[in-house]
Amino acid sequence: QVQLVESGGGLVQPGGSLRLSCAASGSRFSINTMGWYRQAPGKQRELVAVTTRAGSTNYADSVKGRFSISRDNAKNTVSLDMNSLKPEDTAVYYCYIKLLLVDYWGQGTQVTVSS
């Protein structure tokens, strides 16, 4: 049973920083794609950043230059460093992996950017 456990998130003022982390467990196979999506109230879930096992990355235009994704292949963890946060970054952030063509999601962690 594949499980994704997220940590981090919370309330931060505009311009502040947060770090999200996610640990994947229960897989006997190497995980290729790991990353983060987010969903704001009334909006569809959208990609924030993903990274492959080889190290390539893809970011949403709205977070480029502010967010940085990293992973530890040995520990099956992925992190998202979020800087210069804006109120429009407020959303539930979901950890994501693709394993053998199947998508897995974490339970979500709330990020609120507000003064």
Side-chain angles (χ1 to χ4, degrees), residues 52-95:
T52 67
R53 190 171 185 83
S56 64
T57 58
N58 186 32
Y59 292 91
D61 288 342
S62 59
V63 307
K64 284 180 180 177
R66 300 188 298 121
F67 291 10
S68 178
I69 190 169
S70 60
R71 66 185 283 174
D72 185 326
N73 290 331
K75 296 180 179 179
N76 280 341
T77 59
V78 61
S79 297
L80 184 69
D81 290 300
M82 305 184 292
N83 300 305
S84 302
L85 283 160
K86 304 175 181 180
E88 51 263 42
D89 294 317
T90 295
V92 177
Y93 284 69
Y94 295 91
C95 179

Side-chain angles (χ1 to χ4, degrees), residues 6-75:
E6 299 149 339
S7 60
L11 173 64
V12 65
Q13 292 186 343
S17 299
L18 281 176
R19 180 178 173 90
L20 305 181
S21 296
C22 175
S25 63
S27 173
R28 296 183 294 134
F29 303 97
S30 298
I31 301 170
N32 184 32
T33 303
M34 303 184 78
W36 296 90
Y37 282 68
R38 69 186 181 187
Q39 187 167 18
K43 295 187 176 181
Q44 290 188 330
R45 190 172 297 188
E46 64 176 4
L47 178 146
V48 178
V50 291
T51 179
T52 67
R53 190 171 185 83
S56 64
T57 58
N58 186 32
Y59 292 91
D61 288 342
S62 59
V63 307
K64 284 180 180 177
R66 300 188 298 121
F67 291 10
S68 178
I69 190 169
S70 60
R71 66 185 283 174
D72 185 326
N73 290 331
K75 296 180 179 179

